[in-house]
Amino acid sequence: MTDTVPDNYRPEQVEAKWRARWAERGTNQPDLDRATRPFYNLMMFPYPSAEGLHVGNMFAFTGSDVYGRFKRLQGYDVFEPIGYDAFGIHSENYAIKVGLHPAELIPRNIANFRRQLERVGGMFDWRHALSTTDPSYYKWTQWIFLQLLKAGKAYKKKAAVNWCPFDKTVLANEQVEGGLCERCKTPVEQRFLEQWFFRITDYCDRLLANLDTLDWSDTTRTAQRNWLGRSEGAEILFAVAGGRTVGASAASTAQPPNRPIAGISVFTTRPDTLFGATFMVLAPEHPLVTRLTTPAQAAAVAAYIEAAASKDLVARKVGDRDKFGVPLGTMAVNPATGREIPIWIADYVLMEYGTGAIMAVPAHDERDFAFARKYGLEIVRVLSPERVDPASVPGNAALAAAETETAGYVLVNSGKFDGRTAEEAKRLITADLAAQGKGKPVVQFRLHDWCISRQRYWGPPIPVIYCDSCGPVPVPEKDLPVILPPIEDFRPDDSGISPLARHEEWYYVPCPTCGRRGRRETDVSDTFLDSAWYYLRYPSSEFDDRPFDPARTKKWCPVTTYIGGNEHAVLHLLYSRFLAMVLKDLGHIDFEEPFTRFRAHGLIVKDGSKMSKSRGNVVIPDEYIAQWGADTFRMYLMFLGPLQDGGDFREAGINGPRRFLDRVWLMVTEAEDGGELQKSLVVRWHATRKKAAEDIDGLRYNTAIAALMELVNAMKEAGSRDRAIIADLIVMLAPFAPHFAEECWERLGHTTSVFDARWPAWDEGLVVSEEIEVPVQIGGKTRAKIQLLRGSDEATALALAKGEPTVQKFLEGKTIRKIIYVQDRLLNLVIG
Ligand SMILES: [Zn+2]
Ligand SMILES: [Zn+2]
């Protein structure tokens, strides 16, 4: 035993010590009422699965935590909460699979998640941890439902909904991907059920317009824009030939047989092609079908409708199948040509889109073309790629249907509009129709109202009571929460009725209005309602008498920076925005955009392929943390690539960051005061302060870490053990390796947390004077230029070059065969 040997870096001990110290000192607990520079650093709260946190979660949380810690070092009061999104089908299905009750399973999972989250070293304020399954939380989820109900923003209707036969529940459109249930990948069916909806479509214009003002990742904004799906077009009224009811015998007694039909309304984004509309197609469910069917066609139509009803929505949406249909026997009048055109029904037209009826333009629409060919219907070309003499265009030219772009097209066979460009004609024809009262310009969105009811057990009961005398009655706010009763048999069945209906003592309840026996709503609300407002609850989680305290909300909201996965771009992020707008309109909050800045992080893959259970390549962080320590693992993950790109997890790389920390540990042990510093080292020192700050702010953690490594190399080259530089290095490392930095900080003689220190300022002039531009050549040609500090090494140059989009483009799918680096002059990459 000798005391000249410095004690080695032992992550286990260091990390346990600082976890305890943080809890003791309240290091991660900002004063929520008196903070002067509040910074709300939010990450997407996890669904607590039985498997525990996987490496993808950890990558996302660490990425957000690094940012929060950096902001704290810049002097902000950073609030970084965490919680559990623990209701929903995921949890319930897993409980069913393992034969446990979710009420038993979920607390276990949460305990495990909490242990893991603490071990990872996030700057979490545990005082404000929450779970959506806690009655003190879902009381307010139910309260929010009631506010929307009172404001007329929630309603119930029978609707065609997506039904997952495996999960035995309704899915929102957003939860259907390519016709499959996003959870279990089962083909989704169509069902008609009574459902609760939120009127998100009332907010389409605002949801779209605000996107331009948000500091969000472009990919996320684009996803929302596409999902909202704004299209400009026209609503056009096609009169029924004869202008009267036909097929009175087929019309049911429900409707007076002789009331004239005003016409059949269609929405089209292509009014310029109206002259080419040679038939109409209605969805089989269209309300006019019966009245438009002639007696001769009644049997065929009835048979067709029956067949269509047994088909699922997905099969109907698939574009490349054979199109079948039946004519109703009635004619409509094309309002432009005045010609009579036949009316058909076909299941490729869906009631839920537009008006449930289309004008078919077979010359310029692929599906209509296929349909016309199959049934020998007329095809009239009305668009031509160039200006031609209309007389030379044959009336029945069957065209390839690919002509969907309007650019460069002019109208033919379109009367007085011949020769107009398609773009001009859209406006002119719509205006012409409007003048005749046969149409009007219409803006349409693809977004539908948000179906929030689920016929399942594991969610907050929707707070409504049905009374035979009073109808649906909202549960009075004083009676909230409506507690989810503990029932043994929580499994869903195929009836479409929630399991809660089987629980009699809970189901029957006095009507709040008249006191007679009423029945509770047995549907629970969608998990996405839980998560649409959780950011409002965090700062106010200790208040039982209000969902969010006005003063706290004013101080901390909207969220300053939100980092999360883009898979939630059109679900969670859209719903949260909608709900904030409603709450603002109702006077509960004073902002309408909940997340000022949003950044989508990338994904972690393993050895080049996506992690999945079926591949067996899911990385569980625990074993790595046990072996290497949380700090090394954090650094490793953040070193994989820019946060927004994600990275490839290859075990071989982990010892690199660990060796680096070992080296810094030794430097701290050997730190010396005073002494003259070489100019080049001073420049490097300042440049590192600047570069690491800018890179962390831009979420380019990999290059920030590379800069810190380079500073260490420069010190070694200069033979320096300067205490001031080492102290700076520790501060700059702190966001990545928080326990390690705290321990080093203490060993350098400080008695307070390293997170009470400030990010060091730099001398801009000094840095700029030493910056040079170095060309990056690929295959002998200059493709980009990078800003380097004089004397930078190859690794730094390469890391910077790889961050350039143009370089990335050239490297995609290629391997770098050779790197030629001439310091301060040139980086040349040979690829193959
Ligand atoms: Zn499913
Ligand atoms: Zn009543």
Side-chain angles (χ1 to χ4, degrees):
M1 294 284 282
T2 158
D3 53 8
T4 57
V5 178
D7 62 339
N8 291 323
Y9 168 42
R10 293 191 186 88
E12 274 288 324
Q13 291 169 13
V14 169
E15 291 172 8
K17 170 182 166 181
W18 287 96
R19 279 200 307 277
R21 197 67 80 75
W22 289 335
E24 229 167 77
R25 291 179 174 174
T27 309
N28 301 331
Q29 303 173 358
D31 185 331
L32 293 186
D33 296 314
R34 273 173 290 278
T36 51
R37 294 181 74 195
F39 190 102
Y40 191 163
N41 191 53
L42 186 65
M43 57 193 86
M44 287 182 175
F45 65 166
Y47 132 70
S49 65
E51 294 86 21
L53 279 185
H54 57 79
V55 75
N57 299 128
M58 187 167 162
F59 174 75
F61 295 153
T62 305
S64 180
D65 184 62
V66 168
Y67 194 73
R69 290 183 178 278
F70 169 68
K71 285 292 154 185
R72 178 151 171 190
L73 290 169
Q74 286 191 321
Y76 291 95
D77 299 295
V78 179
F79 176 47
E80 191 173 295
I82 192 79
Y84 311 99
D85 191 13
F87 263 143
I89 293 173
H90 248 104
S91 305
E92 192 179 308
N93 282 355
Y94 189 78
I96 291 170
K97 193 174 143 200
V98 299
L100 278 173
H101 197 279
E104 194 180 328
L105 181 73
I106 294 303
R108 267 192 228 172
N109 292 353
I110 286 178
N112 186 40
F113 262 62
R114 167 140 188 181
R115 181 190 58 75
Q116 286 183 301
L117 286 164
E118 287 185 340
R119 188 68 188 83
V120 162
M123 198 172 61
F124 302 122
D125 186 342
W126 289 106
R127 296 171 305 171
H128 292 271
L130 60 79
S131 170
T132 54
T133 54
D134 191 332
S136 70
Y137 182 87
Y138 70 71
K139 169 182 180 176
W140 300 113
T141 306
Q142 293 171 336
W143 177 87
I144 285 174
F145 174 88
L146 291 180
Q147 306 316 303
L148 270 80
L149 184 60
K150 277 193 281 183
K153 297 296 179 197
Y155 66 95
K156 201 172 191 188
K157 74 162 188 207
K158 194 158 195 172
V161 289
N162 304 298
W163 175 266
C164 173
F166 178 81
D167 288 325
K168 297 188 170 60
T169 191
V170 162
L171 303 173
N173 286 327
E174 289 83 347
Q175 289 165 315
V176 181
E177 285 170 357
L180 306 179
C181 169
E182 60 146 8
R183 293 175 189 281
C184 68
K185 311 301 173 203
T186 306
V188 171
E189 298 173 356
Q190 184 188 25
R191 280 201 175 186
F192 279 88
L193 291 173
E194 283 268 322
Q195 299 292 336
W196 285 100
F197 290 88
F198 281 171
R199 292 189 196 278
I200 190 171
T201 54
D202 285 1
Y203 293 79
C204 284
D205 285 317
R206 258 158 101 181
L207 288 166
L208 184 66
N210 286 9
L211 283 178
D212 295 333
T213 68
L214 295 176
D215 178 12
W216 280 27
S217 292
D218 282 339
T219 49
T220 317
R221 293 196 299 174
T222 302
Q224 289 214 349
R225 233 174 244 127
N226 292 342
W227 193 258
L228 288 163
R230 182 182 191 276
S231 53
E232 283 180 13
E235 198 175 301
I236 302 175
L237 198 64
F238 284 67
V240 176
R244 55 172 185 82
T245 299
V246 291
S249 65
S252 72
T253 50
Q255 287 162 329
N258 289 319
R259 197 176 63 196
I261 297 168
I264 304 163
S265 174
V266 305
F267 171 80
T268 176
T269 57
R270 300 298 307 277
D272 52 308
T273 62
L274 178 59
F275 284 80
T278 52
F279 57 99
M280 296 190 77
V281 185
L282 273 53
E285 300 87 1
H286 196 287
L288 291 177
V289 167
T290 313
R291 295 178 69 197
L292 292 170
T293 304
T294 57
Q297 284 300 100
V301 168
Y304 184 85
I305 291 173
E306 200 186 318
S310 69
K311 236 190 257 180
D312 64 73
L313 209 53
V314 177
R316 291 177 55 179
K317 281 179 188 168
V318 174
D320 55 2
R321 298 163 20 122
D322 252 4
K323 308 297 175 206
F324 293 98
V326 179
L328 299 182
T330 317
M331 305 294 272
V333 180
N334 182 319
T337 62
R339 295 179 60 189
E340 293 195 359
I341 58 175
I343 307 171
W344 286 64
I345 54 170
D347 63 9
Y348 77 89
V349 177
L350 300 169
M351 204 53 223
E352 56 171 324
Y353 290 109
T355 60
I358 63 159
M359 63 177 211
V361 184
H364 305 288
D365 179 277
E366 210 167 331
R367 290 182 316 176
D368 298 345
F369 180 71
F371 195 82
R373 287 303 283 272
K374 187 180 184 80
Y375 293 107
L377 297 162
E378 194 183 9
I379 299 170
V380 177
R381 180 185 179 183
V382 291
L383 289 175
S384 167
E386 58 207 56
R387 285 175 194 275
V388 290
D389 174 10
S392 73
V393 178
N396 274 0
L399 292 181
E403 297 178 3
T404 49
E405 293 297 321
T406 57
Y409 284 83
V410 295
L411 270 67
V412 294
N413 295 319
S414 297
K416 63 180 175 181
F417 301 103
D418 280 356
R420 294 285 190 175
T421 67
E423 282 311 311
E424 287 170 344
K426 280 184 181 180
R427 274 196 323 278
L428 294 170
I429 291 179
T430 305
D432 207 41
L433 289 169
Q436 299 172 56
K438 291 177 181 171
K440 60 181 178 190
V442 167
V443 169
Q444 212 189 32
F445 286 90
R446 175 173 171 251
L447 186 74
H448 291 259
D449 275 344
W450 175 13
C451 174
I452 61 118
S453 43
R454 298 288 180 274
Q455 291 70 48
R456 294 289 293 237
Y457 169 70
W458 194 236
I462 291 174
V464 169
I465 293 167
Y466 298 96
C467 168
D468 287 337
S469 318
C470 313
V473 181
V475 172
E477 287 181 18
K478 66 172 174 52
D479 295 342
L480 297 181
V482 176
I483 296 280
L484 180 67
I487 61 170
E488 275 308 309
D489 184 15
F490 63 89
R491 284 165 181 75
D493 60 26
D494 207 39
S495 66
I497 297 167
S498 164
L500 287 175
R502 302 195 289 258
H503 188 273
E504 284 198 10
E505 300 109 87
W506 183 85
Y507 181 53
Y508 292 110
V509 63
C511 164
T513 307
C514 72
R516 293 201 193 96
R517 189 164 89 155
R519 302 169 309 277
R520 286 195 188 278
E521 169 61 76
T522 56
D523 286 357
V524 298
S525 57
D526 181 9
T527 331
F528 282 103
L529 180 57
D530 303 330
S531 56
W533 76 282
Y534 78 123
Y535 70 95
L536 283 168
R537 184 62 182 165
Y538 276 139
S540 299
S541 60
E542 75 267 44
F543 298 110
D544 279 335
D545 60 345
R546 65 204 98 157
F548 32 89
D549 178 70
R552 285 275 174 87
T553 306
K554 202 168 181 57
K555 196 173 241 331
W556 291 97
C557 292
V559 169
T560 324
T561 289
Y562 195 13
I563 294 175
N566 233 1
E567 70 271 22
H568 293 298
V570 297
L571 293 155
H572 163 61
L573 288 170
L574 195 62
Y575 296 151
S576 301
R577 294 182 59 214
F578 154 68
L579 205 61
M581 287 173 186
V582 175
L583 291 173
K584 183 190 181 222
D585 290 352
L586 298 179
H588 296 294
I589 55 178
D590 62 3
F591 57 90
E592 67 178 36
E593 285 295 342
F595 314 122
T596 308
R597 186 171 188 254
F598 175 78
R599 290 293 179 273
H601 61 71
L603 295 176
I604 293 287
V605 298
K606 175 87 166 38
D607 300 320
S609 54
K610 197 181 166 193
M611 280 187 211
S612 72
K613 257 191 266 178
S614 55
R615 278 204 189 86
N617 66 347
V618 175
V619 174
I620 303 299
D622 297 41
E623 49 193 286
Y624 292 95
I625 291 175
Q627 187 183 349
W628 299 95
D631 285 333
T632 294
F633 199 58
R634 285 168 63 105
M635 286 200 59
Y636 169 68
L637 290 178
M638 296 301 100
F639 199 46
L640 288 176
L643 190 71
Q644 283 161 273
D645 295 355
D648 192 352
F649 188 97
R650 292 173 197 273
E651 272 170 50
I654 302 180
N655 58 358
R658 175 56 195 272
R659 276 204 308 269
F660 175 66
L661 292 182
D662 281 335
R663 209 164 147 193
V664 175
W665 182 271
L666 194 64
M667 287 167 69
V668 168
T669 318
E670 297 173 344
E672 296 170 347
D673 287 319
E676 190 78 2
L677 292 176
Q678 290 174 14
K679 162 118 194 272
S680 65
L681 183 58
V682 175
V683 172
R684 171 69 54 190
W685 181 12
H686 279 262
T688 307
R689 292 166 163 185
K690 178 187 178 189
K691 175 148 184 62
E694 289 175 353
D695 285 354
I696 294 177
D697 213 31
L699 308 184
R700 297 179 301 274
Y701 299 151
N702 55 330
T703 48
I705 293 171
L708 300 180
M709 290 174 168
E710 214 184 341
L711 177 62
V712 168
N713 289 341
M715 288 185 75
K716 192 185 172 201
E717 270 170 41
S720 170
R721 296 167 175 183
D722 188 82
R723 184 181 294 275
I725 305 182
I726 293 170
D728 260 18
L729 179 67
I730 297 304
V731 172
M732 293 189 284
L733 254 177
F736 302 103
H739 319 80
F740 175 89
E742 289 276 31
E743 181 64 23
C744 291
W745 193 243
E746 189 177 72
R747 283 168 183 244
L748 288 170
H750 298 273
T751 53
T752 53
S753 169
V754 68
F755 294 99
D756 293 334
R758 288 291 167 267
W759 190 273
W762 58 87
D763 181 337
E764 183 76 29
L766 189 65
V767 175
V768 171
S769 70
E770 291 297 305
E771 268 175 355
I772 45 171
E773 200 174 67
V774 173
V776 182
Q777 292 189 347
I778 299 172
K781 285 199 178 119
T782 300
R783 299 298 184 185
K785 284 177 178 168
I786 47 174
Q787 295 289 326
L788 280 178
L789 207 60
R790 215 175 283 284
S792 292
D793 62 16
E794 180 181 299
T796 307
L798 188 63
L800 263 179
K802 283 179 172 173
E804 290 291 319
T806 46
V807 174
Q808 282 167 4
K809 209 177 70 202
F810 282 102
L811 293 184
E812 213 170 82
K814 300 274 173 55
T815 312
I816 300 176
R817 300 258 175 244
K818 198 173 172 193
I819 301 165
I820 302 153
Y821 179 60
V822 186
Q823 202 175 63
D824 302 344
R825 302 287 296 278
L826 172 78
L827 177 65
N828 187 359
L829 305 176
V830 181
I831 56 173

